[in-house]
Structures are given as structure tokens and as C-alpha cells.
Amino acid sequence: MTTGLERLRELKALGRLEAEYDRVAPLLAELTDDPGTSAAADLPRAGRLLAGLDRAAVLAAHPGTPVVTVAVTGQSTVAQLVDPLTAELARHGLLLHPVLGDHGAYLHDLTSEQGLFHGLGADLSLCLLDAETVFSEVPLPWDVAALSRAADDVLERLTGLAAEHARLAGTADGTGGTLVLNTLPLLRRHTHQLVDHRSRAQLGSVWREFNAALLRLTERFPGLAVIDLDPLIAETGPVSDPRLAGYAKAQYTAPLLAAYAREAAHLARSLRGMTKKCLVLDLDDTLWDGILGDAGADGIAAAGTLRGEAFGAFQRTVKQLGSQGVLLAVSSKNDAEPVLAVLRDHPDMVLRETDFVQVNANWRPKDGNVADIADRLGIGLDSLVLADDSPAERAQVRHGAPQVSVVPLDDEPALHVTRLLADGWFDTPRLTDEDRARTGQYRVERERRELREGSGSHAEFLRELKVGVELSAPLGHEFARLAQLTQRTNQFNLTGLRLAQADLEARAADPRQLVLAARATDRFGDNGLVGAVLGHRAADGLHLDNIWLSCRVLARGIEQGCVAVLLERAREAGLAAVHARYRPTAKNHRVRDFYPSLGFEEVSEEVEEELGEDGNGAGVLLRHDLRTVPPVPEHLTIDARIERLDEHDPNDEHDPNDGHDGLGGDRR
């Protein structure tokens, strides 16, 4: 049987790899979907093939392919990172544009106006550090005190680097994106240069304190991520090969670099709004040991036996994910009543019926079942991850619902947890209170659905729902959720723009910019922060740079109400007009007519070169002359506090986006 890697080689030999780049992700998925394959070796080989691609040719054939620009620098040689990073991004349909820095010149690369990355606008800036980052600063001979002083100096330098990156990220010509550092592994060839055990213990303490302080920098700098190498080393084995470290200054082994590349790709994916929302679980031999239909409730186990304990560990991991906002659902070939009885009463179960937002236990095809789950939750198929032990069921879903990501399980339950967590499908830069409350919100959504189904019309449903909206500047603790909303929202994202927390905080601090958060409630409870508006004042009026709205609350009039209020306030402030833009992406076509439906008229078409990375063709610029302002929908109550519209001088000729792309200089 021809493997995915072999087919990639065939495409390469035929000169078809660029033209058929849309086949790359499914072929790479084959390397990891089967637990028995040698993906650890094959993925970097595939990355080597893909690293030689002509990016321009790929984009000519597939113009919607997202490109991730990654700046790579560090203490030592970093070129070996390109192949595994290329493969890991390609697995998720992303095309890598790597820019490699100079050997050992990471400070200059990242902060100097003459540095290689100045003005690059990188999505990620990977600064790969190693033990030599500290030991190169230590005099010879050295002791623990000298090492401690060197570690303090390096930490101060890295803190300054993070601060400078945060400053530059808010400028038009800065590096942008997210800066990624990593903890430093301490090797035996370092510790055993000290001959007494007491000094070795002190050295270990100093080193761990340094790494802990490095990890804590993420609390101060939202645009910083620090990858902890310890868990990766525990799974991949040796940190370095002494020969490569000595001769080539390559401080890390290929397996460790591959693991690092996977973590970096997960981060890039989450920043692109590609974080998955729902884990769909099979039951028999996935969530518990045994076949419920054959053995009955007494014949299945998730505790009490060797295999049962492994399933129990899997359930505990799933429950932990659910506590952090991952929606849990069931798709199982079983009768519904026995399944619900087990979830309610079986003594082995860690997961209960209340942990799931949807339980589909029936005999319908699994691809149809996962589609039904997505429809009932109001999310896209590409927001689902299926964990299933059956190769046939997985194949059916890959064929019938290819947007769904698949976690391949088999008959070894002790590996279920490892395989579930391997791809970081639910990774997110920041966890918010809204995330933790998400399962409860979706359970309440079922009550809303029942109200909708029992109402005579959609208008009647909206009147009975009693929607209330608060629109105002974000509170300090809301910026993390606001950033997450911009990164994860795809359907109602009118330009495809995604922003980091630091970007939003910088814009909110600028009196010329308008940053608003929309919070919603209804008769069933609090929906939390569900929308955001980004704009700025200029001499010709108010510019709406983008609007985001969570898919959970679409079609409730919230989006129309917020814009109606903004138009009315702009008219009251004496502004000449309100300007807006729409840029098509792969997923926002349904809101193409949103602005025109509210009285905006198209005034020009944007040139394609101005489009952001998610652009899928030329966008349009629109204008509302404020002569006739649409009313707020009758069923909606809005409490709007938009003081900044009145604070700025409308005659100010300075456009805060001069020299930028109209979105404050951020093209992500």
C-alpha cells in the first residue's frame, strides 16, 4: 500500500506538488491517523520535501492558502527547525514562510532597526534558546555564584527583549506577532563539571529558578509565549548529540526539534482562530472497556480492572478538558436509553450526562451524526474533533465530513490520553472565565432552542427571548477574552482580522481608536462577552475597521442593534459619515450584505494587494451618509456607553492609520 509520504514524493517528482497543495494536509494526516505508523520519522522527511516548495506557485494555484510568516533565531544553529515546522504547519493547511536569523544574534535580529526581522510582520518570532545562552556568559573557572549572576543577567536581557517586542508590536514597522521563548535544559555535562554534590544541588536550584522566572514572564507580557521543554524532553529522549553540538553548534536533537515544532505549530494554529471547540467521543472501547450492547451495563468498566483503570484515566483527562471550555459530545452506535442510564448511574463513570452538551446514541452513520452535533451546537464541522477506536468509523468521518479532525485510538487504552493530547487541538493562548462557563452556556442554549422550536415565528421567539446588550469600552480583565474572540471568530468577522491581547490593549489606550465590547443577556441568563467593535475617528467621520460576533448569538439582532446605535451616536456627534469595509474570507461570505442591509453603500473596491492573509478576493469599502439611520430592533434593549465618539475633535486631520493598511497596521 502506497503511503502518504510516497504519494508526496510522487507529486514532487511529477512537479505537481504546488498545483495539488490541497492534497498535502490529507496525505500528512495519514502519517499520524494510524497509531502504528512511523510518523515521528516520516513527518520531518515530508517537511524536507515541502520546504522546497515555490510559495508563489502554491498561492497562484490555491490563493486562499493561509501563509504563516515565522522568524527563527536563537543562541545556536536553528536551520534544522525548518523541515519539521514546515510539515507541522502543512498538516493543518498552513504554508510556512520562514526567515532565519544570524547565528547567536537573536537580540539584534529581534530588536534592532538594522535587524533581519525589522518590518517583517512575523506571525511568530521563535527565539530558540539553549544552555549555552547562560553558560556562554560564565567565566572560567566558574562556580554556582558565577552561574547565578550570569543567569540573572540573561533573565534581565530576555525580560528587556520581551518588553521591546511588546513595544514594537504596536508600531507599523515592528516585528509584530507573538514572541516565543523556551526553558533551558540543564545537561549532565554541565552539572558534573562540579565535583561536589552540594554544589550540584545548588546549581539545579538556581537553574530551575531561572526557568520558573522565564515562564512567569508570560504573566507580564501577553504577546509572549514560553515553551517548556521539560515535558517534551521526557517524551523524546536525549536533548543533544555531543558531536552535533560540538561541531555544528546544533544543541538539540531532531526528535526534540520536531516536538518543539509541533508546539509552535499549535500556537500558530490557535492564533489563526483554528482552535477546536468540541470533542466528540465514541463510547464502546473508547470511553469504557467493553461493548454495552453485548455485555450490558454490568459488563463494561472504567475502573476496577487493569484495562478499566486506563479508561478511567482517559475519562478524567476528558473531564479536565471539559472544565476549561471544551464542549463534550457523544456519537455512538448504541441505543439511547442504555447509554443515558450508564452516564447517569454507572459507578465507574467519571463523566456524567451533565458533562455533555449533546449525546447522539443511535444507529445512523457517524459522519451524519457529527454533522448533526455541529448543527445543534451552531458551530462548524471544522470545530469538531472525533476520538474513536474504530478505523472504519474514522474512515467514514474522514470521507463524509473531512472538516472534522480525528484522534486515532486503538485497542490499547493506556495510550488514549497520549493520543488525545498529541495535537493540542484545544490549545488557546489564554483561558478566560467565559471558557470555563461554556458548557453551562451551551446547556442553556438547548432551552433557547426549545423556545425557538415552540414559537410561532422567529420574531415571536426574539420577543420572548428578551435580549439585552451592553456596549462599552472593555474592562481590564476582558482583553484576554476579547483577543480570543477576534482569533476564533470566523463567520461574523467582516475582514478576517485577528488581534493579540497586546494589540487590543494598545488600541484601547490610544484616544483616537474605538474599541468596544458587546455583552449579552437574555431570559435564560448571561451570554458573556460575545462581540467586539474596532474603529477609529478621522476627518471624514467614523471608520468601522472590523466587527466580530460569536456564532452562539447570531441572528438575534445584536449585530444590527450595535451598528444602529453607533450610527445614531455618530450622527449626534455631528460626524459627516460612517465608513466600513468588508473583506471576504473562506467563512464570512454569509455576512457579505450585512452593511448594505443597514443602509451602507459601496463606494469602491479594495485592491487585492491590500488584503489581509485571510482575504479571498477583493474587498469593498462602504459609506453611510447618516441621513436615515436604522432603528434598533424592537425586541432588543441596548445600554451603550461610547464616550470616545464625543471626546475626539472631528476636525482633527490626523488619521491614526496613516501609513498602515487601514486596520492600525496589523495585517494578521
Side-chain angles (χ1 to χ4, degrees):
M1 179 179 173
T2 305
T3 67
L5 180 59
E6 290 168 339
R7 274 176 280 176
L8 285 174
R9 286 172 172 156
E10 290 172 3
L11 290 173
K12 178 75 170 179
L14 294 170
R16 298 289 301 164
L17 203 47
E18 286 86 355
E20 299 188 39
Y21 190 77
D22 56 334
R23 295 181 59 191
V24 169
L27 289 174
L28 292 178
E30 291 182 15
L31 300 181
T32 55
D33 276 356
D34 183 352
T37 62
S38 56
D42 284 349
L43 271 176
R45 294 189 185 109
R48 200 166 302 122
L49 281 175
L50 298 171
L53 284 176
D54 183 335
R55 281 191 305 277
V58 171
L59 293 173
H62 306 280
T65 303
V67 178
V68 181
T69 300
V70 181
V72 187
T73 185
Q75 175 68 29
S76 303
T77 305
V78 295
Q80 307 96 314
L81 186 61
V82 173
D83 290 348
L85 186 58
T86 299
E88 289 293 347
L89 289 171
R91 289 179 60 211
H92 306 294
L94 302 172
L95 184 63
L96 174 65
H97 172 209
V99 181
L100 301 184
D102 296 324
H103 178 87
Y106 62 90
L107 288 175
H108 181 266
D109 289 340
L110 291 167
T111 62
S112 172
E113 291 186 3
Q114 288 74 45
L116 188 62
F117 304 148
H118 185 73
L120 179 63
D123 298 287
L124 292 180
S125 296
L126 305 181
C127 184
L128 193 62
L129 307 173
D130 55 66
E132 292 306 308
T133 307
V134 173
F135 275 98
S136 63
E137 307 283 325
V138 177
L140 189 68
W142 60 275
D143 57 17
V144 175
L147 185 285
S148 181
R149 288 192 294 272
D152 288 343
D153 290 343
V154 170
L155 182 62
E156 183 177 357
R157 194 178 309 145
L158 294 176
T159 303
L161 173 62
E164 180 64 5
H165 183 272
R167 186 189 69 81
L168 290 173
T171 67
D173 52 0
T175 58
T178 296
L179 174 64
V180 183
L181 305 177
N182 59 272
T183 59
L184 312 186
L186 181 63
L187 306 182
R188 188 177 188 277
R189 63 184 174 89
H190 298 125
T191 61
H192 283 60
Q193 292 181 38
L194 300 174
V195 297
D196 66 295
H197 288 276
R198 183 172 180 271
S199 294
R200 290 177 190 170
Q202 291 174 334
L203 173 59
S205 175
V206 168
W207 201 266
R208 286 163 177 79
E209 288 169 359
F210 169 85
N211 278 333
L214 190 59
L215 290 164
R216 283 194 293 269
L217 287 181
T218 59
E219 300 170 11
R220 294 175 54 187
F221 303 104
L224 172 69
V226 179
I227 295 176
D228 189 350
L229 293 191
D230 281 354
L232 308 186
I233 294 167
E235 291 205 348
T236 61
V239 171
S240 68
D241 181 316
R243 292 163 295 185
L244 290 174
Y247 300 139
K249 304 303 180 187
Q251 299 294 338
Y252 293 137
T253 60
L256 181 54
L257 285 177
Y260 175 95
R262 176 166 288 197
E263 296 297 314
H266 296 171
L267 178 59
R269 191 182 63 207
S270 67
L271 292 170
R272 284 295 179 117
M274 298 169 69
T275 295
K276 306 298 183 179
K277 297 177 181 177
C278 179
L279 173 60
V280 182
L281 295 151
D282 179 46
L283 295 179
D284 295 332
D285 289 329
T286 293
L287 209 61
W288 55 62
D289 187 22
I291 308 298
L292 178 61
D294 293 341
D298 292 337
I300 64 172
T305 68
L306 289 177
R307 284 177 58 84
E309 291 295 334
F311 286 98
F314 182 66
Q315 288 199 30
R316 286 191 290 275
T317 299
V318 170
K319 192 175 184 76
Q320 174 66 16
L321 294 176
S323 73
Q324 298 166 89
V326 176
L327 303 175
L328 305 180
V330 166
S331 176
S332 173
K333 292 286 184 66
N334 264 302
D335 292 324
E337 285 308 314
V339 164
L340 293 176
V342 168
L343 293 176
R344 290 166 184 161
D345 302 322
H346 197 288
D348 290 359
M349 295 301 117
V350 177
L351 292 167
R352 294 299 184 185
E353 182 185 7
T354 53
D355 291 307
F356 297 96
V357 293
Q358 183 66 32
V359 177
N360 280 17
N362 53 54
W363 298 94
R364 296 196 296 269
K366 188 151 288 190
D367 56 343
N369 253 331
V370 295
D372 177 71
I373 289 169
D375 182 61
R376 288 178 178 273
L377 297 181
I379 59 180
L381 278 170
D382 59 353
S383 294
L384 303 185
V385 177
L386 171 70
D388 200 308
D389 70 301
S390 168
E393 300 283 19
R394 297 198 302 265
Q396 184 183 59
V397 170
R398 281 196 293 266
H399 175 75
Q403 307 95 319
V404 176
S405 300
V406 175
V407 175
L409 306 178
D410 61 10
D411 60 357
E412 178 46 83
L415 298 178
H416 280 12
V417 170
T418 298
R419 288 169 181 155
L420 174 62
L421 301 179
D423 271 309
W425 293 117
F426 308 105
D427 285 7
T428 183
R430 292 287 187 277
L431 195 66
T432 67
D433 291 339
E434 283 84 356
D435 290 326
R436 296 183 177 92
R438 185 172 294 120
T439 296
Q441 290 173 345
Y442 273 83
R443 280 202 294 268
V444 172
E445 186 60 33
R446 281 188 293 197
E447 299 180 42
R448 296 188 181 98
R449 186 168 64 244
E450 291 169 0
L451 173 64
R452 182 168 58 247
E453 293 170 352
S455 299
S457 66
H458 186 66
E460 180 184 344
F461 161 68
L462 291 177
R463 284 195 298 271
E464 294 184 18
L465 192 57
K466 295 180 172 54
V467 179
V469 177
E470 180 184 277
L471 185 66
S472 67
L475 303 175
H477 70 278
E478 292 180 321
F479 281 100
R481 165 60 183 159
L482 208 62
Q484 186 185 79
L485 183 73
T486 74
Q487 293 156 9
R488 291 188 179 184
T489 302
N490 297 306
Q491 295 182 53
F492 202 99
N493 182 340
L494 290 165
T495 69
L497 180 66
R498 308 185 194 283
L499 295 171
Q501 181 176 340
D503 297 322
L504 288 162
E505 290 174 339
R507 291 168 188 259
D510 185 342
R512 298 165 301 186
Q513 297 275 349
L514 183 69
V515 181
L516 299 173
R519 312 160 193 88
T521 61
D522 59 38
R523 61 180 281 185
F524 294 104
D526 189 352
N527 288 283
L529 197 158
V530 297
V533 177
L534 182 70
H536 69 275
R537 283 285 299 271
D540 59 351
L542 172 66
H543 289 249
L544 298 179
D545 296 322
N546 202 30
I547 300 177
W548 299 265
L549 188 71
S550 170
C551 62
R552 288 191 292 115
V553 295
L554 286 176
R556 297 182 189 175
I558 294 172
E559 57 271 43
Q560 291 86 356
C562 289
V563 174
V565 165
L566 285 165
L567 292 172
E568 180 61 37
R569 295 296 176 84
R571 183 166 68 173
E572 291 174 356
L575 302 188
V578 174
H579 307 266
R581 66 180 61 207
Y582 167 76
R583 286 175 172 172
T585 70
K587 295 184 179 181
N588 74 357
H589 60 278
R590 293 182 180 177
V591 295
R592 171 67 176 80
D593 296 323
F594 172 68
Y595 283 127
S597 72
L598 294 171
F600 285 78
E601 295 183 353
E602 293 186 13
V603 294
S604 66
E605 186 174 284
E606 290 184 307
V607 295
E608 192 164 352
E609 287 76 11
E610 291 180 348
L611 294 179
E613 68 200 10
D614 291 319
N616 193 30
V620 294
L621 301 177
L622 305 100
R623 181 179 184 275
H624 198 295
D625 60 18
L626 300 178
R627 293 178 184 173
T628 303
V629 174
V632 173
E634 291 183 359
H635 69 274
L636 204 66
T637 301
I638 295 188
D639 176 15
R641 298 187 296 280
I642 318 174
E643 294 85 356
R644 199 163 275 187
L645 274 180
D646 300 319
E647 292 173 356
H648 187 62
D649 183 0
N651 297 314
D652 187 351
E653 295 296 325
H654 177 74
D655 185 334
N657 291 313
D658 283 347
H660 303 276
D661 71 348
L663 295 176
D666 194 314
R667 291 181 178 266
R668 283 176 295 155

